[in-house]
Amino acid sequence: MFDFSFDWRPDFESGIEILDTQHKKLFRICRDMEQMLRVNCMGVTDKQLLDLVCELREFAGYHFYEEEKMMDLCEYPDSDSKSHKEQHAAFLQRIMQINIPELKQSPEKVLRAVQIELQNSVPIHILTEDLKLSAYVIKNHVKTGTPQGEIVKPADECEQIFGRKIGELDV
């Protein structure tokens, strides 16, 4: 198992504010799950468990859609785009397979398995695939003169989408 706590680090910075904002949101969801596991899911309600899984599913779907739209807009090379999108699809499929009745019966067991999956995939995906994509997008802006707003959204628009600005938090 890749031992990783979902604390944001500078090496995750992509140089594209919307991606970093979304990744920080994903890390916050993962930290919420870590907090539930730290107390062995004691006192965690079925609603809290369901809310966590729904938020993870909804957010991952939204984030992947936005990232893939960025790939298409900046004409990311097909070979890189195809692999990246396949990773997204596989990840979404695994998240969608979280068994809610089993989660209710054995929350610690199910959340621990989800945590391990996230620890083993999210940081590596960001540090390889997403940073490769962001380098291409940044280079493409300079090369083509494409206005950044057509490919990436400003942070204040993220605040409108998520309802609050996501920032650095010391926990």
Side-chain angles (χ1 to χ4, degrees):
M1 176 176 90
F2 180 58
D3 188 25
F4 179 81
S5 180
F6 285 94
D7 295 321
W8 189 258
R9 302 184 321 236
D11 56 327
F12 290 116
E13 296 284 335
S14 70
I16 299 177
E17 191 173 6
I18 184 69
L19 286 182
D20 294 338
T21 300
Q22 290 179 4
H23 289 153
K24 288 174 185 178
K25 166 89 172 169
L26 178 60
F27 276 39
R28 198 265 315 142
I29 295 168
C30 293
R31 281 195 310 271
D32 288 350
M33 180 177 46
E34 286 178 336
Q35 291 302 314
M36 289 179 185
L37 287 167
R38 284 199 175 122
V39 296
N40 301 318
C41 296
M42 298 283 289
V44 175
T45 66
D46 292 346
K47 182 181 180 331
Q48 289 172 308
L49 293 167
L50 184 59
D51 286 349
L52 178 76
V53 171
C54 288
E55 185 177 24
L56 180 60
R57 287 174 175 172
E58 181 180 303
F59 182 76
Y62 167 77
H63 171 64
F64 293 159
Y65 169 80
E66 287 290 317
E67 226 176 67
E68 291 171 12
K69 185 170 73 172
M70 185 183 301
M71 287 181 215
D72 295 341
L73 285 170
C74 73
E75 299 176 348
Y76 197 50
D78 286 341
S79 59
D80 295 328
S81 178
K82 182 180 180 202
S83 170
H84 200 138
K85 289 176 181 181
E86 286 172 353
Q87 289 179 31
H88 286 173
F91 183 79
L92 272 178
Q93 184 177 16
R94 289 190 300 271
I95 290 173
M96 296 307 290
Q97 290 175 345
I98 296 171
N99 185 316
I100 300 301
E102 184 181 344
L103 176 65
K104 184 178 175 180
Q105 293 294 333
S106 304
E108 187 175 0
K109 176 185 169 192
V110 174
L111 283 186
R112 186 73 60 201
V114 173
Q115 177 195 32
I116 290 168
E117 172 70 27
L118 293 170
Q119 286 176 327
N120 289 331
S121 61
V122 170
I124 292 167
H125 181 83
I126 290 172
L127 292 171
T128 57
E129 298 301 321
D130 289 348
L131 291 184
K132 183 177 175 182
L133 169 63
S134 64
Y136 181 87
V137 170
I138 291 167
K139 180 180 176 186
N140 188 55
H141 287 300
V142 173
K143 183 177 174 185
T144 65
T146 303
Q148 186 177 17
E150 289 181 20
I151 294 179
V152 296
K153 295 178 182 171
D156 59 344
E157 194 170 329
C158 291
E159 189 172 346
Q160 290 174 4
I161 293 167
F162 301 120
R164 63 180 181 250
K165 187 162 182 131
I166 301 167
E168 297 292 328
L169 300 175
D170 291 332
V171 178

